[in-house]
Amino acid sequence: MAVTKNDVEYVAELARLSFNEEEKVELIGNMNVILGYIDKLNELDTDSVDITVNPYYVENKFREDIVEKSMPLKEVIDNSPQNLEEYIVVPKIIE
Amino acid sequence: MEFETVIGLEVHAELLTDTKIFCSCSTKFQGKANTQVCPVCLGLPGSLPHLNKKVLEYAIKTGLALNCDITKIGRMDRKNYFYADCPKNYQITQDELPICRNGYIDIELPDGKTKRIGIERIHIEEDAGKLLHTKAGTLVDFNRAGVPLIEIVSKPDIRSPYEATLYLQKLKSILFAIGVSDCKMEQGSLRCDGNVSIMPKGSTKFGTRCEMKNLNSFKALEKALNYEIVRHKEVIEEGGIIHQETRRWDEAEGKTYTMRSKEMANDYRYFPEGDLVTLNISDSWIEEIRKTIPELPYQKMERFIKEYKIPEYDAGILTMSLGMADFFEETAKLSKDPKAASNWLMGDISRLLNEDIADISSIKFKPEDLANLITLINSSKISNAIGKTVLEEMYRSGEKPEKVIEDKGLVQNSDEDEILAVVNRILDSNGESIQLYKSGRDRVTGFLIGLVMKETKGKANPKIVNKLMIQEIKKR
Amino acid sequence: MELYKKTAHEIKELIQNKEVKAKEVADTFIKRIKKNNEDLGVFLYVDEEGAKSKAEEVDLKVEKGEKLLGLSGVPIAIKDNINVSGMQNTCASKILSGYRAPYDATVIKNIKTADGVILGKVNLDEFAMGSTTENSGIQLTRNPWDKTKVPGGSSGGSAASVAAMMSPLSIGTDTGGSVRQPASLCGVVGLKPTYGRVSRYGVVAFGSTLDQVGTFARDVEDCALLTETLAGLDKNDFTTADKIVPNYKKSLTQDIRGKRIGIPKEYFGEGLNNDVRKAVDEAILVFKENGAEIIPCSLPLTDYALAAYYIISSAEASSNLARFDGIRYGYRSKEYTDSLGLYTNSRSEGFGKEVKRRIMLGTYVLSAGYYDAYYKKALKVRTLIKNDFLESFKNFDAILSPTSPTTAFNIGEKVNDILAMYLSDVYTVPVNIAGIPAISVPCGISQGLPIGLQLMGNYFDEDTLFNLAYSYEKSTRWHKITFEEGGR
């Protein structure tokens, strides 16, 4: 499965990244090399194999429904790039 | 060309837990924006989610109440997309293994038939923050981010907007009855998205469907669906094609519009959430949860009809609120006259409550008091008409019926001699009415009985008055 | 011997015996950092005030006769992708410039509770993606043994800080070898614990199912001490295991008689530098002499681990790094007219090249139509690799291999050859896929550059690793040779 310029542009939009033409060409090359290497996984027959998500199996971890103190507003706002009092501001979104 | 409508509903309900789904921030909003957040629900670097057990419990409870199979081995997944109200730019949800599957709700159609609407799946997920659009920009408040939601997806079994409202109505009453959500559509704790498509009548292949968001009332649901159906018909009849898209219902304009932002690449790239672990739901936990499910409103209604032999209409009204249903049942049991209990609650008591915009929970008297009132009437101590007066006083002051009757001297008079005397006195002074009666106008006795009742201040036993009036007028 | 040359356990004893004050210790290392950091580029931030203040607290405790806990005033350096409250947490990226951590990672809480003295934050490959620390968006870190060489990565700063004796201990993160490989290239001990042994809460996520916090030290005893401090069940990290943390000190014996060590042929094939091979072969003899049984074996799935690793790690990274969007914290571009622009420009300007490349790869392998072929496939291969190791551990107590196919290479040498760069992880990556623990210990020097050997163990069997590594150490002198004597 060769990666094309369309693929790169589609994926870049999904990932909210932008590249100039030169970078796109390089990316196509990089991705194809890596994906070519990754292709070797097809040598393995995994039809009847289950997936492993957590490398060490743990089940049923839960938290009790008990309220704990939230973060002070100041700490939220201190790290935010733009705020209007207690709100974080982003460019106007049209829905 | 004749068309058939196919509708599916996706309902999101905010769960009534004390804390959010993945962190211990409170779900009860009190103060300013962004004051109920923490590294987890704000998506700060390095934070990890902690699944709230109660959320899972409520989801299983909902599944059981909706006749679903509970998924024994499951997990959480990530749904990846960028949006300003989404702190991590992915939502932790369930994609492949939802906690509940294959349930149903039965709805009662107007023609009396029952229709089964299938439920495809129920899963748990986190809510996003709130956006406030202003001229200065969009303001983001993450207090709501992480609030637990269940998403209930129906099968496309609904065939009309009216059926859709019946489905939603029943779903709402069940969710409310089991206590998992307060189901307030106007406040957003119950949200409904509708999927609608049309196909030629008799066809088995569904048409292209459109999804509608922002339906925040039953009215909006019905109107929006109707609008869409008409729109689809018009497009198809003009030879066009329906595009699969998400549309927003504009209440003011009465139309649906394409939602631009959500149309962008919806490639959510679902994959398992590696920060959380496998869910292995035991049979014993499921049974424990099942035991916490109260009798549901529709089950109560069916039982009332069977057990108390009251009409379906009455049962329906009485089971609309748990408070009302309980009051009825208690009264019915104590008075042994369910029909009377029903009549009082649906009639005078509901009227009084409505006037005061009050709930039955605030009523000043108890079911045993109402039962006593009914017994007093049934044993002819007072008439039904007097009973109404007594009830009003009970409602206002909370006094027991016996005391009201005593204080106001309302005990019914069943002394036949006394009544006979009054009857004859009335007849003596109403010769014209006697003439009318003799000429065949039977109904004039009603007027005369009324006069007797007035004379006795309503205390005369109406049955006896009636008997004696007819007896005496015949003699004249 | 100068104070800065002492190991953590030696320093601990000196402080506990009131032979030296914790403040003096902190001062010594801070002085050393100030002297050498410009040259080596190890530290991104030094918390002089905080370190001295904590050291003074420890001294007060000693004065009062209070018992000192685990780390007892020993200084430690923290990789700058682990949250220390009030400090920067750049992850060596422009996109987190200005960010102040509002909370402590669990491991940091443990360190503070154990009276550890945090010196500051050290350099890494941006978001822990890389094998040389050259991907740092902030500065270059040089290998203390030879300043023209890389220190390895992604925890290059952590490894170098210990190797350069700027700190007796440090912590890093290991997703595909990022603790073991730099430990090997810098001649120090580096452990990646079992997945689930140490909490990831507060550690900026790269690969959620691969990351573990790892420990760097000058010798095995120190490594065991630090690991014990960090390990344990954490309610804030659901992937941590409910297993008690052993007293690792008990494993620090020279007795390894009867221990079975597997030597997998796949790790000794083509691509392995001759000097490295020689050093590791010699090390194997030492184990044999000490009574271990050396058994050749095969791990046939080794080759596929790297492929599975690149799919799983980049897929998870693409999702974990989505939160860096210029909205709630970090760098926000000055150029944007709408939200889409804000996201795209902030991320494109804020992230470095390698990070963007991995996000692209990760997004691609998860995208519609490719999920089954790539991500799901990789998770199935993970099952096979896990089973491969589980089978092996029925017959072996540990598996031995070189940590890295080569010694440290030149700065700038591999930056443009990504496949070559990725292939240098080939010996370390299978461990992360399976989630088993592994340790790297110095076992030789080639042309003034350290060589490391890797021991892989069964789940939660760090004990065996410490035992074998300690025994090897006691029979050799490699861990005692610092860059001052052995380097260029």
Side-chain angles (χ1 to χ4, degrees):
Chain A
M1 279 178 264
V3 170
T4 65
K5 185 158 181 238
N6 274 345
D7 291 328
V8 165
E9 287 170 350
Y10 174 73
V11 171
E13 189 177 351
L14 278 184
R16 298 297 186 268
L17 293 171
S18 70
F19 299 97
N20 62 35
E21 291 309 307
E22 217 182 287
E23 287 169 328
K24 283 182 198 172
V25 169
E26 198 184 340
L27 265 173
I28 294 170
N30 286 163
M31 284 171 75
N32 277 319
V33 165
I34 301 168
L35 290 170
Y37 179 77
I38 285 171
D39 247 352
K40 64 165 40 214
L41 288 186
N42 291 324
E43 293 165 21
L44 294 170
D45 177 14
T46 54
D47 282 342
S48 55
V49 180
D50 286 329
I51 60 170
T52 295
V53 177
N54 308 106
Y56 183 70
Y57 183 81
V58 176
E59 64 177 32
N60 290 343
K61 282 276 187 83
F62 301 116
R63 172 181 56 84
E64 293 302 317
D65 192 28
I66 298 168
V67 177
E68 280 177 22
K69 254 177 105 173
S70 291
M71 243 168 99
L73 178 62
K74 183 176 186 300
E75 278 174 18
V76 178
I77 298 304
D78 275 352
N79 271 324
S80 66
Q82 193 188 344
N83 70 294
L84 183 67
E85 292 185 35
E86 67 267 24
Y87 291 93
I88 290 174
V89 182
V90 302
K92 181 128 192 255
I93 295 167
I94 306 154
E95 280 184 324
Chain B
M1 198 184 346
E2 267 208 80
F3 290 104
E4 219 177 305
T5 304
V6 175
I7 294 169
L9 293 187
E10 277 169 31
V11 173
H12 286 87
E14 277 178 19
L15 294 177
L16 284 172
T17 55
D18 291 333
T19 63
K20 295 186 178 183
I21 186 172
F22 297 120
C23 68
S24 306
C25 288
S26 167
T27 51
K28 284 153 198 55
F29 306 148
Q30 283 130 10
K32 286 180 168 171
N34 292 315
T35 53
Q36 260 151 271
V37 296
C38 72
V40 178
C41 57
L42 200 57
L44 294 189
S47 62
L48 295 173
H50 317 124
L51 181 59
N52 180 344
K53 191 172 189 183
K54 214 173 201 86
V55 171
L56 200 56
E57 185 192 312
Y58 280 5
I60 294 171
K61 192 171 181 179
T62 305
L64 292 172
L66 298 178
N67 311 293
C68 297
D69 298 323
I70 307 300
T71 304
K72 298 293 190 55
I73 308 274
R75 63 170 318 116
M76 305 298 297
D77 298 301
R78 292 191 189 180
K79 177 181 183 179
N80 298 282
Y81 66 96
F82 283 86
Y83 206 60
D85 63 6
C86 193
K88 301 184 290 295
N89 289 317
Y90 60 84
Q91 179 199 39
I92 302 178
T93 174
Q94 292 183 300
D95 175 48
E96 219 178 292
L97 300 167
I99 181 68
C100 315
R101 283 184 278 210
N102 288 327
Y104 59 85
I105 285 182
D106 289 332
I107 56 174
E108 284 74 47
L109 299 174
D111 63 4
K113 292 211 185 85
T114 301
K115 181 172 177 174
R116 180 155 290 188
I117 308 293
I119 289 172
E120 183 70 51
R121 48 180 281 153
I122 302 175
H123 69 258
I124 56 177
E125 61 185 26
E126 54 182 340
D127 204 350
K130 270 210 179 105
L131 299 177
L132 215 71
H133 304 294
T134 72
K135 283 202 201 92
T138 292
L139 307 179
V140 195
D141 170 18
F142 292 101
N143 281 353
R144 199 185 65 180
V147 162
L149 299 174
I150 37 168
E151 180 175 333
I152 302 163
V153 182
S154 81
K155 294 195 176 162
D157 295 342
I158 300 169
R159 287 289 173 277
S160 76
Y162 182 62
E163 278 182 22
T165 60
L166 291 176
Y167 168 84
L168 187 61
Q169 189 66 264
K170 190 141 188 198
L171 178 61
K172 184 181 169 189
S173 80
I174 293 173
L175 292 176
F176 189 80
I178 61 177
V180 302
S181 172
D182 61 17
C183 299
K184 294 194 174 133
M185 276 182 96
E186 338 73 54
Q187 285 178 23
S189 61
L190 190 73
R191 302 168 215 166
C192 185
D193 296 338
N195 287 297
V196 60
S197 67
I198 61 175
M199 60 186 181
K201 201 171 174 83
S203 167
T204 49
K205 186 167 180 278
F206 289 170
T208 308
R209 65 165 200 251
C210 287
E211 187 189 4
M212 275 180 308
K213 293 192 159 322
N214 191 32
L215 304 168
N216 53 20
S217 68
F218 281 87
K219 243 206 197 132
L221 174 66
E222 210 171 352
K223 275 161 66 181
L225 288 172
N226 275 316
Y227 176 87
E228 265 304 283
I229 293 165
V230 168
R231 187 183 74 86
H232 284 215
K233 284 189 180 149
E234 281 176 359
V235 168
I236 291 179
E237 274 165 356
E238 278 167 28
I241 36 167
I242 294 291
H243 298 286
Q244 182 171 339
E245 57 183 359
T246 304
R247 297 176 75 86
R248 187 179 56 86
W249 167 250
D250 188 321
E251 182 70 42
E253 300 281 316
K255 292 184 176 169
T256 62
Y257 293 96
T258 309
M259 276 182 90
R260 278 183 304 133
S261 56
K262 302 256 169 169
E263 241 193 314
M264 264 153 63
N266 277 349
D267 188 345
Y268 293 121
R269 290 154 282 140
Y270 289 99
F271 72 101
E273 173 56 84
D275 289 333
L276 293 171
V277 297
T278 305
L279 302 169
N280 187 349
I281 314 293
S282 69
D283 286 331
S284 60
W285 194 31
I286 294 175
E287 287 322 300
E288 243 179 79
I289 296 171
R290 198 192 296 274
K291 292 200 188 105
T292 67
I293 299 176
E295 185 180 34
L296 298 173
Y298 73 90
Q299 293 168 331
K300 206 182 273 287
M301 186 175 115
E302 278 158 23
R303 183 170 64 81
F304 279 6
I305 295 170
K306 234 167 113 183
E307 213 173 300
Y308 299 109
K309 310 259 190 296
I310 54 173
E312 189 178 318
Y313 178 76
D314 293 25
I317 306 271
L318 290 169
T319 53
M320 265 194 203
S321 94
L322 187 61
M324 185 67 89
D326 285 348
F327 203 103
F328 161 75
E329 185 147 31
E330 191 64 22
T331 307
K333 282 192 180 139
L334 291 169
S335 68
K336 299 197 177 38
D337 189 348
K339 190 73 177 87
S342 163
N343 287 342
W344 282 112
L345 283 163
M346 282 170 54
D348 289 79
I349 295 173
S350 285
R351 175 182 51 83
L352 290 164
L353 288 170
N354 283 341
E355 277 165 17
D356 288 350
I357 314 178
D359 183 62
I360 188 124
S361 56
S362 64
I363 214 162
K364 291 181 179 149
F365 60 87
K366 297 202 179 65
E368 59 205 55
D369 299 326
L370 182 59
N372 281 345
L373 179 67
I374 292 169
T375 307
L376 287 165
I377 294 169
N378 286 349
S379 63
S380 300
K381 284 254 165 41
I382 52 170
S383 66
N384 205 56
I386 295 289
K388 282 179 184 280
T389 311
V390 176
L391 182 83
E392 287 241 15
E393 186 53 41
M394 280 164 67
Y395 180 82
R396 303 261 166 256
S397 65
E399 281 292 12
K400 293 197 178 304
E402 301 90 332
K403 188 146 195 304
V404 173
I405 289 168
E406 205 187 294
D407 288 351
K408 292 198 186 236
L410 296 171
V411 178
Q412 189 167 259
N413 187 348
S414 296
D415 185 332
E416 292 207 20
D417 295 332
E418 265 188 58
I419 295 172
L420 187 62
V422 178
V423 165
N424 280 312
R425 253 206 318 277
I426 297 296
L427 283 172
D428 289 344
S429 40
N430 282 280
E432 250 181 61
S433 305
I434 299 172
Q435 294 307 332
L436 283 168
Y437 182 80
K438 284 193 155 52
S439 67
R441 302 276 278 277
D442 295 354
R443 299 246 209 94
V444 78
T445 51
F447 165 71
L448 294 166
I449 286 167
L451 292 176
V452 173
M453 294 308 288
K454 203 167 156 198
E455 175 93 10
T456 61
K457 295 202 176 54
K459 287 197 244 165
N461 184 327
K463 292 201 191 84
I464 295 175
V465 172
N466 195 53
K467 179 183 88 178
L468 292 176
M469 179 60 75
I470 293 174
Q471 176 187 289
E472 292 306 302
I473 205 169
K474 281 189 172 139
K475 287 182 187 167
R476 298 284 175 108
Chain C
M1 200 213 280
E2 291 99 309
L3 195 51
Y4 71 85
K5 290 191 183 170
K6 293 197 180 289
T7 62
H9 64 268
E10 284 168 342
I11 292 171
K12 197 175 147 171
E13 220 180 290
L14 289 173
I15 293 175
Q16 278 173 338
N17 295 340
K18 299 192 184 171
E19 286 175 55
V20 78
K21 287 210 163 157
K23 175 119 189 327
E24 197 190 321
V25 174
D27 283 342
T28 304
F29 284 102
I30 288 170
K31 217 166 99 196
R32 229 181 123 64
I33 294 168
K34 286 187 171 162
K35 185 160 163 236
N36 296 299
N37 205 46
E38 202 173 319
D39 237 9
L40 295 175
V42 170
F43 278 80
L44 296 175
Y45 172 73
V46 181
D47 184 20
E48 192 170 339
E49 232 182 270
K52 291 187 177 178
S53 150
K54 181 74 179 184
E56 279 165 3
E57 254 177 62
V58 173
D59 286 331
L60 201 60
K61 268 178 137 181
V62 174
E63 240 175 272
K64 287 186 185 169
E66 278 173 42
K67 180 165 194 254
L68 284 183
L69 297 162
L71 295 176
S72 307
V74 175
I76 181 166
I78 313 292
K79 185 174 181 180
D80 204 17
N81 65 350
I82 298 175
N83 280 282
V84 179
S85 187
M87 281 191 204
Q88 66 178 54
N89 203 39
T90 64
C91 300
S93 178
K94 187 172 168 189
I95 213 167
L96 275 171
S97 45
Y99 178 77
R100 280 268 152 293
Y103 71 103
D104 277 331
T106 299
V107 292
I108 298 302
K109 281 206 190 107
N110 288 10
I111 288 169
K112 288 181 176 177
T113 305
D115 292 326
V117 174
I118 295 173
L119 292 171
K121 309 305 272 319
V122 292
N123 203 14
L124 59 152
D125 278 302
E126 191 180 355
F127 284 108
M129 296 180 193
S131 311
T132 62
T133 308
E134 291 172 293
N135 290 329
S136 166
I138 299 177
Q139 67 196 36
L140 183 65
T141 301
R142 297 173 184 281
N143 192 319
W145 291 70
D146 178 338
K147 292 187 234 178
T148 66
K149 307 275 187 225
V150 298
S154 62
S155 312
S158 309
S161 70
V162 172
M165 294 173 286
M166 288 173 162
S167 176
L169 298 172
S170 77
I171 58 173
T173 58
D174 189 316
T175 306
S178 290
V179 161
R180 294 160 284 150
Q181 185 254 34
S184 167
L185 267 50
C186 286
V188 297
V189 177
L191 170 85
K192 183 205 85 72
T194 311
Y195 183 92
R197 177 79 281 183
V198 175
S199 171
R200 291 178 300 116
Y201 187 73
V203 178
V204 181
F206 164 7
S208 311
T209 66
L210 299 160
D211 297 340
Q212 268 293 280
V213 172
T215 49
F216 289 92
R218 304 261 306 285
D219 65 15
V220 176
E221 183 174 344
D222 280 2
C223 185
L225 166 68
L226 183 54
T227 305
E228 202 174 314
T229 308
L230 303 182
L233 179 69
D234 182 18
K235 67 172 167 63
N236 281 328
D237 177 358
F238 278 17
T239 60
T240 51
D242 191 0
K243 284 190 175 280
I244 46 161
V245 182
N247 178 354
Y248 289 131
K249 213 161 174 192
K250 294 208 185 109
S251 312
L252 302 177
T253 86
Q254 287 182 254
D255 188 1
I256 59 167
R257 284 169 300 171
K259 288 275 191 281
R260 302 157 302 165
I261 302 178
I263 313 291
K265 65 174 194 230
E266 290 81 6
Y267 289 69
F268 290 85
E270 222 184 280
L272 178 58
N273 171 283
N274 278 326
D275 282 351
V276 175
R277 185 192 300 269
K278 240 177 81 188
V280 176
D281 281 342
E282 275 166 26
I284 292 172
L285 288 176
V286 173
F287 282 102
K288 197 168 180 184
E289 273 158 31
N290 285 350
E293 207 187 321
I294 307 297
I295 308 159
C297 68
S298 170
L299 288 169
L301 291 170
T302 303
D303 255 352
Y304 302 98
L306 196 63
Y309 171 77
Y310 274 100
I311 296 173
I312 297 174
S313 66
S314 28
E316 291 176 3
S318 72
S319 179
N320 285 324
L321 266 60
R323 67 189 64 197
F324 301 105
D325 56 10
I327 304 261
R328 284 145 295 122
Y329 47 81
Y331 172 79
R332 187 189 276 205
S333 170
K334 303 271 180 295
E335 316 268 333
Y336 59 88
T337 49
D338 59 10
S339 272
L340 178 61
L342 196 172
Y343 283 124
T344 308
N345 295 347
S346 301
R347 288 164 64 79
S348 303
E349 290 161 27
F351 286 137
K353 196 169 175 182
E354 180 64 27
V355 169
K356 285 192 274 194
R357 182 159 39 215
R358 301 224 195 172
I359 291 174
M360 288 293 286
L361 182 68
T363 307
Y364 181 82
V365 302
L366 287 175
S367 65
Y370 295 124
Y371 173 79
D372 280 0
Y374 290 117
Y375 192 76
K376 196 164 180 183
K377 179 90 185 178
L379 291 186
K380 290 184 172 199
V381 171
R382 167 180 252 156
T383 306
L384 295 177
I385 291 171
K386 222 187 122 128
N387 291 341
D388 215 16
F389 275 115
L390 284 170
E391 259 322 293
S392 305
F393 287 119
K394 287 186 185 156
N395 306 314
F396 309 113
D397 296 297
I399 297 168
L400 189 154
S401 80
T403 306
S404 167
T406 65
T407 54
F409 36 90
N410 292 325
I411 291 171
E413 189 179 313
K414 297 221 174 138
V415 155
N416 291 318
D417 186 348
I418 45 155
L419 203 56
M421 182 78 94
Y422 291 177
L423 283 170
S424 63
D425 291 334
V426 68
Y427 297 152
T428 51
V429 146
V431 159
N432 300 81
I433 296 286
I436 57 176
I439 192 170
S440 176
V441 292
C443 72
I445 295 174
S446 158
Q447 296 175 11
L449 294 170
I451 299 171
L453 76 82
Q454 174 176 234
L455 288 161
M456 303 171 242
N458 205 346
Y459 295 90
F460 300 98
D461 194 17
E462 284 82 355
D463 313 57
T464 298
L465 295 182
F466 288 136
N467 176 210
L468 290 169
Y470 185 79
S471 159
Y472 173 77
E473 228 178 46
K474 285 292 169 236
S475 309
T476 61
R477 272 207 76 242
W478 299 114
H479 61 292
K480 291 216 184 285
I481 304 175
T482 69
F483 77 97
E484 284 177 343
E485 307 141 54
R488 286 195 237 157

